[in-house]
């Protein structure tokens, strides 16, 4: 499953390639004709679903493809709605996890949506909006959620155990620092270790693993 760009270099078409088949025969899974929209393709960390977004700076419209049934048509999570921004950031067990500004959450919140019924009426808050705290990112693991909010200019990561509900803040001795937590450096879904990059005005850049257990 891959993205194909148009003549202007904008990714507009999702294609499906069958191994050992002539690429000319690749099947068009999805095509976005609206020139105002961009497309983004991502494999969720559980590897169960491939997610694609067709949206603008103002709104999103996400679809998912079951990686175990790649011949099936993409399923829409929630239709585009003006000024509704949402991002399908992960999947675990029976739920998708979504960062959204729904219900006036200006600083964004994290919700979960049932895999079988992911439309907005079934969304449940997992990490509600916190005033003056922007939810910048979140990572989904087999047993853990990592919430990455920013308060007063500093990221304050929080680990939530999905089995027990326990919440563990990641605390640092320095009042001002920069920490980088991203799916690209955390590709393993079933793990207790969270890989982070840390630096500050007095601490050179370091990479370390945080035990989420």
């Amino acid at each position: 499953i891959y993205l194909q760009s148009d003549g202007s270099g904008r990714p507009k078409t999702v294609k499906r390639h069958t191994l050992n088949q002539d690429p000319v025969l690749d099947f068009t899974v999805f095509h976005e004709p609206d020139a105002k929209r961009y497309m983004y393709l991502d494999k969720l960390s559980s590897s169960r679903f491939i997610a694609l977004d067709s949206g603008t700076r103002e709104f999103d419209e996400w679809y998912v493809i079951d990686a175990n049934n790649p011949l099936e048509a993409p399923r829409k999570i929630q239709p585009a709605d003006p000024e509704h921004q949402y991002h399908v950031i992960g999947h675990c067990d029976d739920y998708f996890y979504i960062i959204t500004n729904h219900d006036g959450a200006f600083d964004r919140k994290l919700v979960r949506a049932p895999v079988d019924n992911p439309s907005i009426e079934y969304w449940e808050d997992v990490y509600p909006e916190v005033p003056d705290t922007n939810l910048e990112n979140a990572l989904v693991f087999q047993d853990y959620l990592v919430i990455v909010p920013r308060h007063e200019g500093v990221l304050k990561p929080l680990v939530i155990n999905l089995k027990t509900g326990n919440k563990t803040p990641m605390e640092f001795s320095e009042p001002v620092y920069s920490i980088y937590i991203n799916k690209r450096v955390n590709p393993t879904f079933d793990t207790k270790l969270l890989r982070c990059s840390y630096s500050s005005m007095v601490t050179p850049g370091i990479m370390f693993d945080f035990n989420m257990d």
Side-chain angles (χ1 to χ4, degrees):
I1 307 291
Y2 64 95
L3 274 176
Q4 186 178 71
S5 299
D6 62 11
S8 300
R10 297 171 298 185
K12 302 297 288 183
T13 305
V14 178
K15 291 276 192 174
R16 183 179 67 235
H17 176 68
T18 300
L19 296 180
N20 302 316
Q21 177 179 280
D22 188 337
V24 173
L25 302 175
D26 286 359
F27 180 77
T28 297
V29 176
F30 185 92
H31 176 71
E32 179 51 72
D34 189 343
K36 296 178 181 179
R37 295 196 187 194
Y38 60 89
M39 293 196 67
Y40 171 76
L41 190 67
D42 185 30
K43 183 178 75 171
L44 301 184
S45 55
S46 68
S47 297
R48 168 73 190 283
F49 291 96
I50 298 167
L52 64 101
D53 182 27
S54 176
T56 70
R57 291 182 181 272
E58 286 75 38
F59 64 81
D60 297 280
E61 186 171 79
W62 282 84
Y63 298 76
V64 290
I65 301 170
D66 190 334
N68 294 329
N69 297 286
L71 301 185
E72 293 184 356
R75 286 198 298 136
K76 188 183 296 184
I77 297 292
Q78 175 64 26
D81 184 33
E83 299 183 2
H84 180 207
Q85 300 172 348
Y86 72 101
H87 185 175
V88 181
I89 55 97
H91 158 260
C92 183
D93 295 333
D94 298 325
Y95 294 96
F96 296 116
Y97 288 84
I98 300 168
I99 292 177
T100 175
N101 67 353
H102 179 56
D103 281 340
F106 178 79
D107 288 319
R108 307 197 301 173
K109 62 181 180 177
L110 180 69
V111 302
R112 69 179 188 178
V115 168
D116 293 336
N117 295 288
S119 56
I120 201 165
E121 60 264 32
Y122 299 104
W123 291 9
E124 301 174 335
D125 284 5
V126 175
Y127 182 83
E129 181 188 25
V130 178
D132 301 319
T133 302
N134 184 57
L135 179 55
E136 297 215 345
N137 193 13
L139 276 67
V140 182
F141 296 91
Q142 177 65 59
D143 297 317
Y144 307 93
L145 285 177
V146 179
I147 312 297
V148 189
R150 184 182 295 276
H151 179 68
E152 295 183 345
V154 180
L155 293 178
K156 305 285 188 178
L158 175 71
V159 176
I160 301 176
N161 188 309
L162 288 173
K163 306 302 181 185
T164 67
N166 290 340
K167 298 179 181 180
T168 305
M170 294 177 63
E171 299 179 333
F172 305 96
S173 59
E174 298 174 315
V176 179
Y177 54 83
S178 175
I179 186 165
Y180 178 76
I181 300 175
N182 190 280
K183 189 173 71 172
R184 291 185 179 182
V185 295
N186 288 280
T188 304
F189 182 59
D190 186 7
T191 181
K192 296 180 179 180
L193 298 180
L194 175 68
R195 179 149 295 181
C196 312
S197 175
Y198 177 96
S199 64
S200 74
M201 295 295 290
V202 296
T203 302
I206 58 172
M207 188 79 74
F208 69 94
D209 289 338
F210 178 81
N211 190 334
M212 296 184 286
D213 194 15

